[in-house]
Amino acid sequence: MAWTMESDDSINGADGFATFTLDGKTYQAGNWEKITATTEVSSTDFKVLGSRTVKTKPGTAKGKVTVEGFVVDSLYKREYIKWMNGKRSFPVLTLHCSNVHDTRGTETVVLKQVKFMNIPIVSMDANADLLPLSMDGTFDGADMPKSFTDVIPKI
């Protein structure tokens, strides 16, 4: 008997939420509507001794993160300006991203040492209903304290 995925099995990204920790305090990131985190693995090629074969060895992983949403407060911008003026260390976040599913539970991924590298200081659009926000950065590690219940049957 072949297994088919039902529509109830797919994850709805709209049911997710995010929080971030800055200087030991946790904040809701309700204004962030989209979070994308990827890793890029570098690799090196090496020649196998006594052979003409070249193999690839994975090297290090570099994490990249993008958040998109709308401006609702000045928290991160304010902390970044303090850093620019020499009044604090560079603001580093821990970002908690959770997706919720009715039957499969919650998956939580924690991005560690998140550093945003392009922070919009001033934005204005007189014709916009909402002021968009987009920030790109890096992260140094990740953890998955909760994962979804498996839906694919074992053979």
Side-chain angles (χ1 to χ4, degrees):
M1 178 177 167
W3 178 80
T4 57
M5 187 171 121
E6 303 293 330
S7 62
D8 293 351
D9 295 331
S10 60
I11 307 303
N12 182 349
D15 291 334
F17 61 94
T19 61
F20 64 90
T21 305
L22 176 65
D23 297 333
K25 295 180 185 172
T26 301
Y27 301 92
Q28 282 294 124
N31 57 322
W32 295 350
E33 291 199 334
K34 184 176 181 183
I35 299 170
T36 306
T38 59
T39 56
E40 185 177 300
V41 178
S42 66
S43 62
T44 55
D45 292 339
F46 65 95
K47 189 172 177 179
V48 178
L49 253 95
S51 169
R52 292 188 175 129
T53 309
V54 174
K55 292 196 173 189
T56 302
K57 176 180 165 183
T60 58
K62 180 179 180 181
K64 295 180 181 181
V65 62
T66 300
V67 298
E68 297 174 15
F70 302 98
V71 175
V72 295
D73 61 37
S74 301
L75 175 67
Y76 198 76
K77 187 187 312 184
R78 182 180 64 237
E79 298 304 311
Y80 182 76
I81 290 172
K82 285 180 188 176
W83 170 79
M84 286 175 53
N85 294 327
K87 295 181 180 174
R88 70 155 292 143
S89 60
F90 191 81
V92 178
L93 305 179
T94 302
L95 181 57
H96 304 259
C97 307
S98 296
N99 283 310
V100 181
H101 189 267
D102 290 341
T103 59
R104 295 178 57 202
T106 302
E107 174 189 75
T108 301
V109 175
V110 178
L111 304 180
K112 300 173 182 178
Q113 297 292 307
V114 177
K115 301 172 193 89
F116 288 112
M117 299 301 174
N118 70 336
I119 294 91
I121 298 296
V122 175
S123 315
M124 186 183 145
D125 185 348
N127 296 318
D129 293 332
L130 300 169
L131 194 57
L133 167 76
S134 179
M135 297 190 297
D136 295 318
T138 62
F139 61 94
D140 294 340
D143 193 13
M144 185 183 287
K146 282 185 175 179
S147 62
F148 291 124
T149 305
D150 289 335
V151 70
I152 299 173
K154 295 181 180 172
I155 299 173

